[in-house]
Amino acid sequence: MQYKMNLRRYRQNQSVRDTFSTVNLSSKNLIQPYFVYEDLAEREELPSIAGQYKHNLESLKKEVAYGLTQGVSSVLLFFIPKSKQKCNFDHDFDCSVISGLKEEFGDRITIFTDMCLCSQTDTGHCGIVEEGRVVNHKSVLELVKKSVAHARAGSDCISPSDMMDDRILAIREALDENGFDQTMIMSYSTKFSSSFYGPFRDAAESTPDSGDRKSYQIDYRNESDAMLASLRDMEQGADILMVKPAGAYLDILYRIKHHEVMKDYPLAAYQVSGEYQSLHMMEQNNLINFNDALLESLYAIRRSGADLIITYGANNYKKIAGER
Ligand code: PBG
């Protein structure tokens, strides 16, 4: 390499900078999350996540149609039922939303459905609690039933976020046995126990009533667990792996994307509610420009190795990126 090097030539104006850019991100690679509530008369703004709403099927359809005009065809649905239970969950509400959306849009959209019990359990935990513990096997059986119900209603991609052991294998087998061999699974494979889920829990009514999620979500000090969790889920049949949250875990994203065995697997990253909302709150305090910071954060996630990004900014991405 030369001793003197003029790198500012690459930076001199927008056109030159665009020409030399090495990373690209399109709204086609983004997934927009939605919160759908049972028995909601009309959509309501969510106080905890900027620009997001509590939806019913009608308002959801409108928003999804808008997303399509912005190049976003992938949606991730979270369902918040009215009543909470201990076990034997009923999935009629979720299924009516899934089939309603499929009826309207068919294959123009890809429906990802969150697979977890936290907004259905009376404890707010992601699995069934017995004697103060979240039990694995019984929770997996419930997730399997729910997955088959979602697939039958028209979900294109079951997205388990519960972090029970070996749920991917159980769900894959059940889907295949019931004739849903084309239904995909996106595993929240490397999901850390994180403070950054705070605004989401408020929205999804899923704050645990006691204790925390540390006995099932990954400890951020354990890199081995983080790697093994994705490797195992890949081997058990996940079609897409995920790192969540994204921003504070870019090293893990990079490691998985460059891992000998996992490097060619589709990898998603979830820019979670706390990451997203903190940008908004900084803007509210006149400290940053939200749109600029959002693009920068999404590009960082992309550069680190994400093929797909789940972000609350998906539907606005095209506009924001187009303005720059
Ligand atoms: C739980 C779930 C959570 C999120 C997605 N699925 C919260 C949690 O694990 O407590 C977080 C998403 C976000 O913060 O945006 N099933």
Side-chain angles (χ1 to χ4, degrees):
M1 206 187 276
Q2 292 163 268
Y3 167 61
K4 282 174 76 178
M5 202 176 183
N6 185 327
L7 293 172
R8 288 188 53 188
R9 279 197 290 271
Y10 299 125
R11 309 170 190 162
Q12 54 190 293
N13 61 45
Q14 184 74 39
S15 165
V16 170
R17 289 192 292 275
D18 285 348
T19 305
F20 285 100
S21 62
T22 58
V23 211
N24 218 338
L25 180 61
S26 146
S27 48
K28 290 193 169 52
N29 307 120
L30 303 180
I31 303 175
Q32 174 71 46
Y34 292 106
F35 300 94
V36 200
Y37 288 69
E38 190 173 14
D39 282 350
L40 188 72
E42 53 189 271
R43 86 169 191 182
E44 286 170 27
E45 218 164 310
L46 266 180
S48 62
I49 316 176
Q52 310 299 303
Y53 293 86
K54 295 184 175 188
H55 283 287
N56 58 24
L57 178 58
E58 288 319 303
S59 68
L60 177 66
K61 282 183 190 167
K62 283 191 197 137
E63 199 78 15
V64 171
Y66 172 73
L68 276 173
T69 69
Q70 300 303 305
V72 178
S73 64
S74 288
V75 304
L76 171 61
L77 305 182
F78 292 98
F79 303 100
I80 298 93
K82 244 186 353 195
S83 64
K84 316 287 170 184
Q85 285 154 270
K86 273 203 167 21
C87 57
N88 294 323
F89 305 98
D90 153 345
H91 310 299
D92 294 352
F93 163 60
D94 312 14
C95 291
S96 67
V97 174
I98 298 168
S99 59
L101 210 56
K102 232 0 309 170
E103 231 164 75
E104 179 90 5
F105 297 99
D107 286 346
R108 291 195 293 142
I109 61 169
T110 305
I111 303 180
F112 293 68
T113 54
D114 185 63
M115 186 46 57
C116 188
L117 303 175
C118 65
S119 57
Q120 287 173 301
T121 52
D122 55 0
T123 60
H125 276 290
C126 301
I128 293 173
V129 177
E130 282 181 0
E131 292 167 14
R133 276 179 51 83
V134 174
V135 291
N136 205 85
H137 184 62
K138 280 193 188 163
S139 302
V140 170
L141 293 179
E142 289 290 346
L143 293 163
V144 162
K145 275 192 261 171
K146 185 170 175 176
S147 298
V148 173
H150 278 194
R152 187 164 285 128
S155 172
D156 298 295
C157 188
I158 306 296
S159 311
S161 65
D162 56 288
M163 295 306 280
M164 297 302 114
D165 272 326
D166 299 330
R167 85 273 204 214
I168 300 302
L169 186 64
I171 292 171
R172 183 71 271 160
E173 283 178 354
L175 289 175
D176 290 352
E177 277 164 18
N178 285 279
F180 300 112
D181 55 299
Q182 291 301 299
T183 306
M184 299 181 276
I185 300 177
M186 173 170 76
S187 175
Y188 286 62
S189 50
T190 297
K191 174 173 175 177
F192 291 93
S193 172
S194 169
S195 294
F196 292 100
Y197 306 147
F200 171 97
R201 288 185 189 169
D202 195 46
E205 302 174 0
S206 70
T207 307
D209 63 350
S210 66
D212 51 38
R213 302 208 203 287
K214 289 186 177 153
S215 79
Y216 43 101
Q217 299 181 343
I218 301 171
D219 185 316
Y220 52 75
R221 298 165 303 174
N222 193 338
E223 285 186 72
S224 308
D225 189 358
M227 296 303 289
L228 286 171
S230 274
L231 195 57
R232 175 199 57 193
D233 286 4
M234 183 200 89
E235 286 173 349
Q236 291 192 357
D239 300 285
I240 307 168
L241 303 173
M242 191 199 298
V243 174
K244 175 188 171 188
Y249 298 92
L250 297 178
D251 56 329
I252 303 293
L253 201 55
Y254 185 89
R255 275 190 69 183
I256 294 177
K257 199 62 210 169
H258 292 81
H259 184 273
E260 188 57 33
V261 182
M262 292 185 278
K263 60 178 186 285
D264 292 319
Y265 253 75
L267 181 59
Y270 199 143
Q271 181 180 53
V272 301
S273 56
E275 300 178 68
Y276 185 83
Q277 187 66 3
S278 61
L279 302 182
H280 175 71
M281 296 183 87
M282 278 198 279
E283 179 174 78
Q284 279 190 320
N285 286 285
N286 296 318
L287 297 174
I288 61 170
N289 175 288
F290 174 81
N291 288 349
D292 288 337
L294 181 69
L295 283 190
E296 184 178 342
S297 65
L298 292 175
Y299 266 89
I301 296 166
R302 177 67 158 179
R303 230 176 29 243
S304 305
D307 301 305
L308 307 168
I309 304 177
I310 303 159
T311 171
Y312 298 97
N315 281 356
N316 293 328
Y317 176 79
K318 195 173 168 190
K319 265 198 187 140
I320 297 173
E323 285 163 6
R324 302 242 156 2

